[in-house]
Amino acid sequence: MDVKIEASWKEILSPEFNKPYFRQIALHLKTEKSQKKIIYPPGSLIFNAFNATPVQQIKVVILGQDPYHGPGQAHGLCFSVPDGVAQPPSLINVFKELHNDIGVPIPTNGNLTHWAEQGVFLLNASLSVRAGEPMSHSKIGWAEFTDCVIKKISELKVHVVFLLWGKFAQEKRVLIDEAKHLVLKAAHPSPLSANSGFFGCRHFSKTNEYLVKNGIDPIDWKV
């Protein structure tokens, strides 16, 4: 795979691109494409989170599990959808909590690029998925790559806020040095679990309080 990725990430991650597991990811995607399988997001957007948020700009990490698997939804930023695409249920609940926490008006679109450009790194643990098949690429090697990414952020940065929503994201806590960073945990914003601790978690205000306390500009959470 010819990885087109922002320069600071390329420098940090280039050793990974030459490892057998990463070559296996590239081969897997190439094979599925040759079999006429539809893969989301489009190839040019697989590394969108990295290109939108260079390493030096990271203030917050939100970790998702898997790209959206419906047509036109995934664009390489977890929980986000492009302009004009209906907001998925989990994202609707994120916006409800955001409104209840800090009063941000509930947006009409679900594109979180504005967050990414301010330093909110919107990382999915798997960076691709087959159309209509959730978690279909969760075992092809992406977890090894994105675990490395989380560890690198923890090692190279200080005072990053990690928002871990749901059991899957919380399992990544072991990769983060909590002496240097803030880890906030809550239930997943999915309709199945949002009432079990996502609503009322106040992660958006807590994030900004921590950033300001450490001399870092807060996030403008408007979309």
Side-chain angles (χ1 to χ4, degrees):
M1 188 192 302
D2 177 24
V3 178
K4 291 184 171 59
I5 195 168
E6 187 273 333
S8 64
W9 284 113
K10 191 159 197 171
E11 185 179 346
I12 290 165
L13 296 173
S14 56
E16 300 303 305
F17 300 143
N18 295 314
K19 289 182 178 176
Y21 85 85
F22 198 88
R23 290 202 294 269
Q24 192 60 41
I25 294 172
L27 180 63
H28 192 101
L29 296 179
K30 194 174 175 183
T31 301
E32 289 203 355
K33 283 181 179 172
S34 72
Q35 296 168 345
K36 303 291 189 257
K37 301 267 173 64
I38 297 171
I39 295 171
Y40 298 133
S44 62
L45 293 176
I46 284 178
F47 294 100
N48 193 20
F50 299 81
N51 295 328
T53 314
V55 180
Q56 60 273 19
Q57 292 180 17
I58 293 176
K59 301 176 182 181
V60 181
V61 176
I62 300 178
L63 186 65
Q65 190 164 359
D66 204 31
Y68 295 125
H69 53 87
Q73 291 181 304
H75 67 143
L77 306 176
C78 75
F79 291 102
S80 180
V81 288
D83 292 334
V85 175
Q87 297 171 10
S90 291
L91 184 58
I92 289 171
N93 286 339
V94 168
F95 290 152
K96 283 180 185 173
E97 174 60 23
L98 183 60
H99 176 71
N100 292 334
D101 183 7
I102 56 175
V104 168
I106 292 179
T108 55
N109 82 83
N111 189 336
L112 304 181
T113 299
H114 178 58
W115 293 6
E117 289 171 345
Q118 296 179 77
V120 182
F121 186 51
L122 297 166
L123 179 68
N124 274 315
S126 294
L127 299 188
S128 64
V129 69
R130 272 197 307 275
E133 297 182 49
M135 303 301 293
S136 48
H137 286 174
S138 63
K139 300 284 196 291
I140 71 170
W142 282 128
E144 187 168 349
F145 178 70
T146 52
D147 281 1
C148 169
V149 169
I150 295 166
K151 280 191 274 193
K152 290 287 187 190
I153 295 169
S154 179
E155 287 166 15
L156 297 171
K157 304 280 293 179
V158 291
H159 304 317
V160 172
V161 183
F162 290 83
L163 303 183
L164 305 183
W165 297 338
K167 181 173 176 288
F168 175 84
Q170 289 164 22
E171 287 170 353
K172 306 296 183 181
R173 188 173 185 167
V174 295
L175 307 171
I176 302 161
D177 181 352
E178 294 186 58
K180 298 166 61 184
H181 306 288
L182 177 64
V183 173
L184 296 176
K185 300 189 303 174
H188 195 277
S190 156
L192 298 173
S193 55
N195 286 313
S196 304
F198 180 75
F199 290 138
C201 70
R202 302 192 64 243
H203 278 187
F204 303 100
S205 57
K206 288 176 181 175
T207 292
N208 279 352
E209 285 164 14
Y210 177 84
L211 293 175
V212 169
K213 188 178 79 176
N214 287 287
I216 300 166
D217 287 340
I219 303 297
D220 172 9
W221 291 109
K222 290 196 297 293
V223 171

